[in-house]
Amino acid sequence: MLRLSGVGVSNGQAAGPVVRVAEPLPEPPASPAVTDPGAEAARISPAAQAVADGLFARAAGVEGDAKAVLETTAAMAMDPSLSSRAEQLVSQRAVPAPRAVLEAADEFAESLRATGGYLAERVRDVHDVRDRIIAELLGVRPPGVPTLLEPSVLLARDLAPADTADLDPDLVLALVTEEGGPTSHTAILARSLGIPAVVAVRGLLAGTSAIAAEVDGDSGAVGLSEERVEVRAAERADTANWTGSGGTSDGSRVKILANVGAAADTAAAVSARAEGVGLFRTEFCYLAAEDEPDVATQRAAYAEVLEPFAGKPVVVRTLDAGADKPLGFLETGAEPNPALGVRGLRVAFDRPEVLDRQLAAIAAAAGDSGADVSVMAPMVATPEEAAWFAERARTAGIARVGAMVEVPAAALIAGELLEAVDFVSIGTNDLAQYVFAADRQLGALAGLNDPWQPALLRLIAMIGRAGGETGKSVGVCGEAAADPLLGRVLVGLGVSSLSMVATAVPAVGSAVAGASLRACERAAEAALAASDAAGAKAAARAAFE
Ligand code: PEP
Ligand code: MG
């Protein structure tokens, strides 16, 4: 058995035969030159259309997020700018069509990568579409997940949303990837399927002839075997204690909320019986917008998301533009370090009128929908910034105002920050990235972005204490909140609301309901005393045994 290790991002143990997600096709050559460039160029659009048709057909067979992902990828395949650029390359240089598609898609991907952040994450999708069109042109099977015939452990370099959108959860025992991090698509998907996952496993794909694997999503251990192993599925996370009203077994109230990005996410939040929304990422409504949407347009978009939560709490985050989520209408210019640049609330200091228009739209949408709306600002660094934001929000007529804690400085000064606002919500994804100076999107640094890192937990403990001293509420809305065991630890650190991907709501709500506040505090003390992430997780687990 070859023993490897990575970062466990979804809990549980499983074992079984492995299926490799097909690696990309070899690079199509630029020669020999084609003799009839016109005819060669004419093959491209039909191939792109065939790829889109295939994805739309798969979309027709599924619902919810899977449908949205497949339809988005299909729309990308049909993007006329990709086909026409490829056709132009064939006409100009007489290169074969597969080569032209490769070059055109790579140009497109490069411009996304240069923009950075969330758009850079779309590079994976562009490559996926590129490879599907090339496979269609070559008449070969596209890369990706083969049809599964028996329960299997999937091994991949990384997983794209379209790879996994229509995976049959009954046939996937675990996910293991060589790249990816704790906030990657693989991690989110595995938690939503309730299966173990380990990411950032160095050497996973290097020349092994393994036919079976053992996966421990808790410790991050992966064993690869050349012989069959006994098939074991992870126990599904216990959701039995989730009543739809969050709290510990001894009655300490903990709100269990969902994160949403657009109206499409709200159905999942409602069906998981989330008590409301702890993070509405408004920038997701406008990632493709070139001009600032006017107040009426914003009001309608927000009201659509808020309506299913009439009478329930919803925390609307103002536009978190810049760095990983650049918005066309809030250009900040070239920056050497966009993650450390003018992003989040900082964008508003130069353009307060954009913030004011958004706040007016949120206030109006709150009235339209009947939801109990609060607002919070992303990337707040100082109490002064928090106070500046709070005054504008209150002037716009929004009574409850908060600040995200994503910058270590804000965590260190949480007491004063809480004097300026009504609540704070900890964005553990960014807080980890900035505490460890480790890009959250880099698989190579996934271990530093592990939310079980004691340094991160100690910072959260400081914020929790500040919440206790000021009597104001401290929530967590980063991916850390989606881990049931870590959710208990966060409660023990003084956190009174947990907001997460909707599919994790029942498991986290159930885990919190199954423990007393004192037990959560004991587990938190044990995790804080550890010197590494694995030790913190093991200590917390032991505290509940
Ligand atoms: C976070 O940083 O943890 C967070 C919730 O914000 P986002 O993931 O949108 O940056
Ligand atoms: Mg963030």
Side-chain angles (χ1 to χ4, degrees), residues 29-79:
S31 56
V34 296
T35 47
D36 184 351
E40 185 70 359
R43 297 172 57 217
I44 293 172
S45 283
Q49 186 63 50
V51 167
D53 290 347
L55 290 164
F56 278 129
R58 280 168 61 192
V62 291
E63 287 302 326
D65 289 354
K67 193 183 203 66
V69 163
L70 289 166
E71 286 177 350
T72 306
T73 311
M76 201 180 268
M78 288 198 313
D79 185 338

Side-chain angles (χ1 to χ4, degrees), residues 197-415:
V198 181
V199 301
V201 182
R202 299 281 136 221
L204 179 70
L205 303 173
T208 152
S209 47
I211 60 160
E214 290 177 358
V215 182
D216 184 339
D218 295 7
S219 68
V222 175
L224 294 179
S225 165
E226 296 192 2
E227 283 158 32
R228 289 192 77 89
V229 299
E230 194 187 331
V231 175
R232 257 182 308 129
E235 276 177 37
R236 292 285 154 135
D238 182 5
T239 57
N241 290 328
W242 177 230
T243 60
S245 172
T248 58
S249 62
D250 50 352
S252 196
R253 181 84 172 101
V254 181
K255 278 190 241 165
I256 306 293
L257 307 164
N259 293 350
V260 302
D265 294 341
T266 59
V270 170
S271 82
R273 289 189 293 158
E275 295 184 73
V277 171
L279 168 63
F280 169 16
R281 292 178 162 109
T282 55
E283 66 281 357
F284 276 28
C285 301
Y286 301 115
L287 287 177
E290 297 201 345
D291 302 313
E292 183 192 341
D294 62 23
V295 173
T297 308
Q298 292 191 52
R299 174 180 183 166
Y302 303 150
E304 195 186 346
V305 174
L306 297 176
E307 260 149 24
F309 303 100
K312 296 185 177 167
V314 178
V315 182
V316 182
R317 177 172 75 183
T318 53
L319 296 171
D320 186 17
D324 52 351
K325 288 167 287 193
L327 293 185
F329 59 92
L330 285 174
E331 263 303 317
T332 52
E335 296 176 331
N337 290 302
L340 303 181
V342 180
R343 58 162 301 200
L345 182 64
R346 298 169 184 182
V347 174
F349 298 142
D350 277 350
R351 281 166 271 201
E353 63 290 348
V354 177
L355 175 63
D356 290 344
R357 284 190 286 270
Q358 185 181 25
L359 291 169
I362 294 168
D368 298 342
S369 64
D372 177 10
V373 168
S374 317
V375 287
M376 66 180 178
M379 283 292 289
V380 174
T382 67
E384 190 189 1
E385 290 179 4
W388 181 86
F389 174 76
E391 198 201 322
R392 299 193 100 86
R394 292 193 181 115
T395 305
I398 301 163
R400 195 164 173 272
V401 185
M404 287 192 77
V405 179
E406 301 176 283
V407 179
L412 293 166
I413 204 158

Side-chain angles (χ1 to χ4, degrees), residues 253-255 257 277-278 313 315 374-376 400-405 414-415 417-427 460 462-477 490-491 493-498:
R253 181 84 172 101
V254 181
K255 278 190 241 165
L257 307 164
V277 171
V315 182
S374 317
V375 287
M376 66 180 178
R400 195 164 173 272
V401 185
M404 287 192 77
V405 179
L417 206 68
L418 276 163
E419 281 168 20
V421 289
D422 303 304
F423 68 96
V424 294
S425 183
I426 308 172
I460 295 172
M462 286 183 59
I463 309 166
R465 272 197 302 277
E469 282 159 18
T470 53
K472 293 189 176 171
S473 84
V474 173
V476 170
C477 63
L490 293 171
V491 169
L493 293 174
V495 165
S496 60
S497 73
L498 297 167

